[in-house]
Amino acid sequence: MTVSAYNFAYLDEQTKRMIRRAILKGLAIPGYQVPFASREMPMPYGWGTGGVQVSAAVLVPDDTFKVIDQGADDTTNAVSIRRFFEKTAGVAVTDDTAKASVIQTRHRIPEMPLRADQILVYQVPIPEPLRFLEPSEVETRKMHSLEEYGLMHVKLYEDISQHGAIATAYAYPVKVEGRYVMDPSPIPKFDNPKLTMDAIQLFGAGREQRIYALPPHTQVVSLDFEDFPFEASKADHACDLCGAVDSYLDELIVDDAGGRLFMCSDTDYCSTRRAAGHVGAQGVPVKEDVA
Amino acid sequence: MTPLLQVEAVSKFYGARIGCTDVSFDLYPGEVMGIVGESGSGKSTLLNCLAGHLPPDAGAVRFDTRADGLRDTVTMNEPERRMLGRTDWAFVHQHARDGLRMNVSAGGNVGERLMAVGARHYGDIRNTATDWLGRVEIAADRIDDRPSAFSGGMQQRLQIARNLVTGPRLVFMDEPTGGLDVSVQARLLDLMRGLVREMGLSAIIVTHDLAVVRLLADRLMVMKDGHVVETGLTDQVLDDPQHGYTQLLVSSVLQV
Ligand SMILES: Nc1ncnc2c1ncn2[C@@H]1O[C@H](COP(=O)(O)OP(=O)(O)OP(=O)(O)O)[C@@H](O)[C@H]1O
Ligand SMILES: [Mg+2]
Ligand SMILES: [Zn+2]
């Protein structure tokens, strides 16, 4: 695979224009799912083809690109998407959230607040938040257009009746600018409050052929009940490596005796903190850290 | 008195085939109208036209709306019609699976209409659901069970609770006792009669079971081949049928 074998960022210009039109429409109607003609990408569905097409449509040659999968830059999925654009667009890549101009993500929002000159692109498996209870696409589109969202609360009601609390921990439904109910993709609900941010957020679902968007500073409200209010919860622990108390944590079993380690799911956030001298309960100062 | 529903010359065709044609009647608040007729006579077609599920090809269906009095629901815009469908109207289907969410608990099924009109307090929703399960004789401890774990009669009672919870002013029912055992039917009928009286419900009930209309309906409409052939007070029509077809229907020969 050589750079010259492809148009910039793999997709032809006409396709990118079509995707950009869908993105602009999405930005004009925050939270509304815009249909688009998803293209075959040289990777299977479920590997972020929706996000990849959106990234391809927004990238320009002087962009700096970052990819995270569940917060980490070094997973197979993240690495292969980053390499893909390194090759097909020749853009600079980085792990550093602050240096990236376009960040493609699966299942997380970076801990560091994003800026107005950054774009966050989400990979979305199932864009339709009503799908789990209403299988008909015709009906769900009608529900959106008529703002018939009672069903969303039925889902939360079921959660409470079965678990005593709203157990939905990922893809927690939100209402955008008091209008469209939207699936924020399977980010942990801890990330929901960050959905109102300075950066542009774009959501791409490849298999389902939908794009939606949140312009900067969009009001995004997590659905709940008066007596069971939304809570952006995380493990009640500090990061064992960097000591952060405000970041979303992954829990690792570290030995056969059931020893556990909590660490930031945002690997860049964690390593940046450690480089700045923060040390967690099980961490070692960064200079001696072989990893 | 303003009729609650004013049906004027409603017709519906499926291509060249008649679904129902030229049906007119008024329904007054608190009245229960029965519609009987053999299979294929157009009962369900008519009911679906009245409830906004099917667009009639001709005619008007005027409903006495809370805000603006009589409004033609055929020409009103879809959001308004769907709003009526989840507030002032209720629809009880013959098959519970068409009227229930089978993958949602009984409590969630009853609570859905409350949440659809803005209820956002879990405790209140649950209390109301519990109360309604009691009113349709479903034990409170079944509230978190899914309807698939219920008997046919229970499913039908749950469907009724789910529909009545928001205090609709007009209830459409298509064969609500169809497909149930006779003893189960009797219990359901009893329950429905109690609710109709207690809540002063207005209802349109489609059935081909004359026992159902005898018990529930104040007035009766007899259909054949898409036409209304006879209409009148239930007792009068059943005890002294005028039309030949009604006479046949009432005679034991046609009773199933
Ligand atoms: N979707 C449809 N497409 C074509 N024809 C239809 C359709 N639905 C009903 N019909 C026809 O319209 C006529 C009236 O049918 P309808 O279902 O209203 O009768 P019904 O009185 O409810 O019968 P049943 O007692 O069997 O439920 C019948 O001739 C039927 O075959
Ligand atoms: Mg029928
Ligand atoms: Zn950390």
Side-chain angles (χ1 to χ4, degrees):
Chain A
M1 191 147 77
T2 62
V3 174
S4 59
Y6 297 99
N7 193 38
F8 176 77
Y10 186 80
L11 293 175
D12 61 84
E13 291 307 309
Q14 198 183 336
T15 299
K16 283 193 275 185
R17 271 199 298 276
M18 176 270 292
I19 295 172
R20 287 179 198 133
R21 274 196 296 273
I23 291 172
L24 288 172
K25 183 167 179 182
L27 285 165
I29 317 169
Y32 171 75
Q33 297 168 51
V34 184
F36 80 109
S38 184
R39 292 295 141 90
E40 289 293 327
M41 297 302 286
M43 58 193 74
Y45 288 126
W47 286 80
T49 55
V52 166
Q53 289 177 80
V54 169
S55 292
V58 299
L59 278 172
V60 294
D62 58 2
D63 267 321
T64 303
F65 190 54
K66 169 184 164 84
V67 187
I68 47 172
D69 184 353
Q70 315 224 32
D73 298 82
D74 57 0
T75 60
T76 319
N77 188 20
V79 169
S80 72
I81 291 172
R82 193 165 57 233
R83 288 218 181 109
F84 176 75
F85 284 113
E86 240 180 322
K87 280 187 181 159
T88 61
V91 289
V93 296
T94 183
D95 289 355
D96 188 340
T97 305
K99 290 206 178 93
S101 54
V102 176
I103 302 171
Q104 182 169 331
T105 179
R106 174 173 172 270
H107 300 189
R108 275 308 313 275
I109 296 177
E111 303 294 354
M112 196 200 81
L114 298 182
R115 301 180 311 264
D117 61 346
Q118 294 179 302
I119 296 176
L120 184 59
V121 176
Y122 294 77
Q123 300 174 201
V124 180
I126 300 164
E128 179 46 73
L130 298 160
R131 178 67 69 241
F132 58 91
L133 286 176
E134 180 51 69
S136 155
E137 172 73 17
V138 174
E139 187 62 18
T140 53
R141 290 194 76 86
K142 194 163 275 177
M143 289 166 145
H144 283 294
S145 71
L146 301 180
E147 277 185 80
E148 292 180 2
Y149 289 131
L151 206 51
M152 260 352 291
H153 275 86
V154 172
K155 161 84 167 83
L156 300 178
Y157 169 95
E158 292 289 285
D159 247 19
I160 301 171
S161 68
Q162 282 163 35
H163 308 285
I166 298 177
T168 301
Y170 298 90
Y172 192 105
V174 295
K175 194 161 199 181
V176 177
E177 287 289 337
R179 180 56 183 85
Y180 286 97
V181 166
M182 187 191 97
D183 183 329
S185 87
I187 57 172
K189 64 179 177 177
F190 172 81
D191 282 344
N192 274 26
K194 298 186 215 157
L195 287 161
T196 297
M197 64 163 74
D198 294 351
I200 286 177
Q201 297 170 85
L202 306 175
F203 299 78
R207 189 183 39 224
E208 308 245 354
Q209 315 211 72
R210 292 287 183 279
I211 285 171
Y212 49 102
L214 296 172
H217 313 294
T218 300
Q219 182 206 58
V220 180
V221 176
S222 302
L223 302 181
D224 61 4
F225 286 103
E226 290 156 19
D227 46 344
F228 285 85
F230 171 80
E231 265 181 277
S233 58
K234 68 185 254 309
D236 187 16
H237 211 278
C239 173
D240 282 322
L241 301 182
C242 77
V245 292
D246 57 354
S247 66
Y248 190 72
L249 302 172
D250 286 338
E251 186 180 348
L252 258 64
I253 306 294
V254 289
D255 56 39
D256 292 344
R260 293 181 308 168
L261 180 85
F262 288 92
M263 55 183 284
C264 295
S265 105
D266 183 335
T267 50
D268 175 61
Y269 183 71
C270 201
S271 55
T272 304
R273 278 179 54 84
R274 286 156 70 205
H278 297 279
V279 183
Q282 299 188 45
V284 284
V286 75
K287 284 187 191 71
E288 296 155 46
D289 190 352
V290 269
Chain B
M1 181 152 68
T2 314
L4 184 64
L5 194 74
Q6 197 172 56
V7 181
E8 195 182 304
V10 164
S11 300
K12 174 74 190 177
F13 297 90
Y14 299 102
R17 184 190 312 226
I18 294 178
C20 65
T21 183
D22 200 24
V23 179
S24 303
F25 67 92
D26 288 347
L27 183 80
Y28 285 89
E31 238 186 345
V32 177
M33 163 81 95
I35 301 177
V36 297
E38 65 195 11
S39 187
S41 58
K43 306 181 297 290
S44 294
T45 300
L46 175 62
L47 195 73
N48 283 310
C49 286
L50 303 184
H53 295 171
L54 269 182
D57 295 311
V61 180
R62 293 185 203 93
F63 178 73
D64 185 19
T65 61
R66 290 175 204 245
D68 309 308
L70 284 175
R71 295 266 318 274
D72 185 3
T73 64
V74 177
T75 52
M76 97 182 7
N77 64 37
E78 193 181 15
E80 282 183 290
R81 194 164 48 236
R82 281 174 69 113
M83 179 59 105
L84 282 178
R86 55 180 199 272
T87 54
D88 276 347
W89 297 348
F91 199 105
V92 177
H93 294 261
Q94 172 172 2
H95 301 291
R97 64 171 177 273
D98 297 329
L100 292 175
R101 293 197 187 274
M102 299 305 278
N103 56 351
V104 166
S105 70
N109 264 286
V110 178
E112 180 174 349
R113 273 174 79 111
L114 295 169
M115 292 181 251
V117 296
R120 292 293 178 265
H121 191 283
Y122 175 83
D124 291 350
I125 292 164
R126 198 158 169 90
N127 288 340
T128 308
T130 308
D131 179 48
W132 264 99
L133 290 181
R135 291 175 78 167
V136 298
E137 298 165 14
I138 295 174
D141 65 3
R142 304 300 302 269
I143 190 167
D144 295 328
D145 292 350
R146 293 189 172 186
S148 45
F150 288 3
S151 69
M154 280 172 81
Q155 289 182 357
Q156 217 48 325
R157 297 202 301 277
L158 179 62
Q159 206 194 161
I160 288 169
R162 168 180 160 87
N163 270 284
L164 297 189
V165 65
T166 45
R169 293 158 67 214
L170 177 55
V171 185
F172 301 96
M173 300 193 196
D174 195 352
E175 309 270 6
T177 60
L180 298 175
D181 291 347
V182 177
S183 64
V184 177
Q185 280 190 19
R187 186 170 165 205
L188 185 64
L189 276 176
D190 231 35
L191 181 97
M192 282 166 41
R193 188 163 63 159
L195 289 171
V196 162
R197 288 203 178 142
E198 201 181 302
M199 300 177 72
L201 286 178
S202 311
I204 299 176
I205 301 180
V206 159
T207 179
H208 46 241
D209 185 346
L210 294 184
V212 172
V213 289
R214 176 92 69 188
L215 207 59
L216 291 177
D218 306 305
R219 280 200 300 148
L220 188 57
M221 211 160 80
V222 183
M223 292 185 73
K224 185 177 185 338
D225 301 332
H227 298 267
V228 175
V229 295
E230 184 159 356
T231 174
L233 295 176
T234 303
D235 290 343
Q236 274 176 15
V237 175
L238 293 184
D239 296 340
D240 185 20
Q242 300 300 305
H243 192 277
Y245 176 73
T246 317
Q247 288 166 3
L248 263 177
L249 196 69
V250 171
S251 73
S252 54
V253 196
L254 273 188
Q255 288 198 38
V256 234

